Amino acid sequence: MKFVKPTKAIIPVAGYGTRRLPVGKSIEKCMMPILNRPIIDYIVEDCIKAGITDIYFVITNGAPQLKSYYKTNSVLEEYLAKKGATEQLEAIKPPKNVNFHYVQQTQPNGEYGTTVPVWSCRDIVEPSENVVIIMGDQTLFRLDGGSDLADMIASVESKQTNAGMVAVAVPEDQLQYYGIIAMDKSGHFSHIVEKPPRKDAPSNLNNASMYLVPGSFWQYVQKDMDAPHTREYYLTDVLNDFVADNHTINVFEAKGRYLDCGNLEGWVEANNYLLEFTLENKV
């Protein structure tokens, strides 16, 4: 079957950002800055490099800051144009060749977890298409200007698997803090072991929460939403169910630096890393 290149990306950015309170009270978590750009803009840039033309943000409470960031600000553009601030003017313009959509997260019975925002997009996915899913509080930064998302998509096409995911190598002394990927004999995704002791870790690869899945994946999402739960709805459970039904997920090891901005420590580290890169390269 001919590979269908994805043109849609689903990026969950809903929630209150409680791990970043008190600043999260007034700044949407995806809008926390890495240097002079919000986290989300690095993710959007990666999507554009990978050929995505429609981005669906899953939001709560209207996401006014996110929407404002990707709107044209004619007054500011006119002001910068008069000043001759060409570089700043180009930096504030919305990206070209991509459409932004906003999907209100659906929680009819108070469900929460990573499956819920993906399920909220069930009506925008066609059975015949492939779709990208990226969680909105982390990104990958490539020193060479490339795109790990684009490379992962190309890897799925070349290996003819049903789906793909990006993985990030983590130091051995940190394996116990992550969801570590176990692989089958063919080197494809088998399952995730949450926070294993170092001696029991099946690999050194952390799930980077960046996926390529087919339209048929949503039947497994629906199955998970219909099942009784006593805890969060985890998208990793859906992936496990998908694989258990004889589907294959290619694991692509990222070339870029993983920047996890969902907590204070990771956000500070991301800023320090990119500041050092910027100063060294005078970007």
Side-chain angles (χ1 to χ4, degrees), residues 181-203:
I181 296 171
M183 289 176 280
D184 62 22
K185 295 178 181 179
S186 300
H188 298 140
F189 173 86
S190 171
H191 61 281
I192 286 178
V193 180
E194 289 292 342
K195 301 178 179 178
R198 274 188 251 176
K199 63 182 180 63
D200 297 330
S203 74

Side-chain angles (χ1 to χ4, degrees), residues 72-280:
T72 298
N73 187 327
S74 300
V75 174
L76 181 56
E77 287 188 12
E78 183 179 350
Y79 169 76
L80 293 173
K82 286 180 178 178
K83 284 184 63 178
T86 306
E87 186 175 337
Q88 289 178 308
L89 177 59
E90 289 305 311
I92 69 160
K93 289 181 178 179
K96 299 177 181 178
N97 304 318
V98 62
N99 304 304
F100 296 109
H101 313 268
Y102 301 90
V103 178
Q104 183 68 30
Q105 180 161 298
T106 307
Q107 297 169 278
N109 298 304
E111 301 93 343
Y112 65 98
T114 49
T115 303
V116 179
V118 177
W119 178 74
S120 298
C121 292
R122 60 199 179 280
D123 293 333
I124 63 100
V125 178
E126 297 295 332
S128 60
E129 65 183 344
N130 290 315
V131 179
V132 166
I133 301 170
I134 308 174
M135 296 302 158
D137 58 0
Q138 41 81 69
T139 189
L140 289 159
F141 185 79
R142 287 270 289 268
L143 297 176
D144 62 1
S147 164
D148 279 311
L149 177 59
D151 288 349
M152 182 266 282
I153 293 169
S155 180
V156 171
E157 180 177 14
S158 108
K159 295 188 177 181
Q160 298 184 323
T161 54
N162 303 116
M165 65 190 304
V166 176
V168 178
V170 297
E172 186 178 343
D173 62 355
Q174 296 180 23
L175 294 173
Q176 66 272 26
Y177 302 121
Y178 295 97
I180 301 300
I181 296 171
M183 289 176 280
D184 62 22
K185 295 178 181 179
S186 300
H188 298 140
F189 173 86
S190 171
H191 61 281
I192 286 178
V193 180
E194 289 292 342
K195 301 178 179 178
R198 274 188 251 176
K199 63 182 180 63
D200 297 330
S203 74
N204 69 332
L205 297 178
N206 170 41
N207 172 23
S209 300
M210 182 181 287
Y211 312 102
L212 174 67
V213 296
S216 60
F217 184 74
W218 264 259
Q219 65 182 287
Y220 299 91
V221 174
Q222 186 65 58
K223 179 181 176 182
D224 188 56
M225 292 297 295
D226 290 340
H229 279 64
T230 57
R231 56 182 176 83
E232 290 186 41
Y233 290 70
Y234 291 115
L235 192 62
T236 49
D237 291 338
V238 182
L239 293 169
N240 291 339
D241 197 21
F242 182 74
V243 168
D245 212 12
N246 295 318
H247 294 98
T248 54
I249 301 177
N250 178 55
V251 178
F252 175 81
E253 185 171 345
K255 300 174 185 175
R257 174 71 173 259
Y258 180 59
L259 304 178
D260 182 0
C261 301
N263 57 71
L264 179 59
E265 294 81 3
W267 176 74
V268 170
E269 182 181 335
N271 274 277
N272 288 338
Y273 175 77
L274 284 187
L275 178 59
E276 182 178 349
F277 170 79
T278 300
L279 293 176
E280 287 180 355

